[in-house]
Amino acid sequence: MQSITMFDVISQIASGFGTTLLIFFATLIFSMPLGILMALGRMSKSTILSSVIKAIISILRGTPLMLQLIVVFYGPYYLFGVKLPTGWRIGATLIGFSINYAAYFAEIFRAGIQSIPVGQTEAASVLGYTKGQTFSKIIFPQMVKRVIPPVTNEVITLVKDTSLAFVLAVQEMFTYAKQVSASMSSLMPLFVAGVFYYVFNLLVSFIMNRLEKRLSYYD
């Protein structure tokens, strides 16, 4: 029986790293703008809109991400009888991750926006700024600076949560690590995957810390 070297283990696990990166970056790209929209809807003067968004956020934050992935993947079939192709797995994964993290970002953004003194909005109105200009030029830049720490925590959590894509049989890094571990009857491949996640998180933390320092001029 041919022995599996450490290089073989790393190579096989690394083959799923591209999918892990896809889930990570696609989730950030879609969830952050959606999170801002949900935060604005949550603060809307319309009681109906605010209540609906609040309920959606509560459900998404109060139920497991794994359950949401399963619902997104199997929902179209069981609710509408629509049979989707195998490629829908990655699509369902990206949708599930995006809406889940949008709910968390929405609450972070809402807290950041509401932490800005109301007097700044009133002063902008006196100076002739529209609501859009006030948000984009005054509120948003300050909000970004204030939410960097909690956003960093969520981004770090996202790195680790990408492993949950295995529930839909998406071939990401952790899925490969489990397969190699089973074939070798050893935990070593799982520890190797853990090193990948740890290094990835170190890089994320470094980038977010640099970003926070660059935005420190808003203090």
Side-chain angles (χ1 to χ4, degrees):
M1 181 176 178
Q2 185 178 3
S3 61
I4 301 178
T5 66
M6 177 63 73
F7 177 78
D8 294 329
V9 172
I10 294 175
S11 297
Q12 292 186 53
I13 293 176
S15 63
F17 191 58
T19 303
T20 296
L21 287 178
L22 172 62
I23 297 171
F24 176 78
F25 285 111
T27 299
L28 291 182
I29 290 172
F30 293 114
S31 66
M32 285 193 170
L34 180 58
I36 292 176
L37 293 177
M38 293 175 72
L40 295 176
R42 176 78 170 77
M43 296 184 294
S44 173
K45 294 181 179 179
S46 169
T47 304
I48 296 177
L49 177 59
S50 178
S51 298
V52 169
I53 298 297
K54 182 179 179 180
I56 292 174
I57 291 174
S58 178
I59 293 172
L60 291 174
R61 296 178 70 199
T63 56
L65 172 57
M66 187 180 296
L67 173 61
Q68 294 169 27
L69 291 173
I70 293 173
V71 169
V72 172
F73 181 69
Y74 292 103
Y77 177 75
Y78 286 106
L79 293 177
F80 308 107
V82 178
K83 293 184 178 180
L84 297 170
T86 304
W88 168 240
R89 294 183 187 279
I90 188 64
T93 299
L94 298 182
I95 292 174
F97 270 86
S98 295
I99 60 176
N100 177 270
Y101 271 83
Y104 285 94
F105 286 136
E107 287 299 276
I108 292 173
F109 295 152
R110 180 178 68 86
I113 293 172
Q114 292 181 335
S115 70
I116 309 298
V118 178
Q120 295 192 27
T121 302
E122 295 173 347
S125 178
V126 171
L127 293 173
Y129 281 69
T130 64
K131 290 184 178 179
Q133 290 174 327
T134 300
F135 180 77
S136 62
K137 296 182 178 181
I138 298 176
I139 304 300
F140 184 76
Q142 295 182 78
M143 181 271 289
V144 170
K145 169 63 178 67
R146 298 184 182 202
V147 303
I148 286 294
V151 165
T152 299
N153 290 336
E154 290 301 322
V155 174
I156 289 175
T157 300
L158 173 58
V159 172
K160 295 176 288 185
D161 278 354
T162 56
S163 62
L164 293 177
F166 82 89
V167 72
L168 298 185
V170 173
Q171 296 294 305
E172 46 72 53
M173 187 167 57
F174 187 68
T175 302
Y176 279 102
K178 290 199 305 176
Q179 292 173 351
V180 177
S181 179
S183 66
M184 294 179 61
S185 298
S186 170
L187 291 177
M188 186 263 289
L190 298 179
F191 287 114
V192 173
V195 172
F196 270 88
Y197 286 113
Y198 179 68
V199 173
F200 193 2
N201 266 329
L202 285 180
L203 180 60
V204 169
S205 297
F206 173 77
I207 293 174
M208 297 301 287
N209 287 335
R210 290 295 298 269
L211 178 60
E212 184 175 1
K213 289 180 180 179
R214 291 194 58 145
L215 294 174
S216 62
Y217 60 82
Y218 281 114
D219 289 336

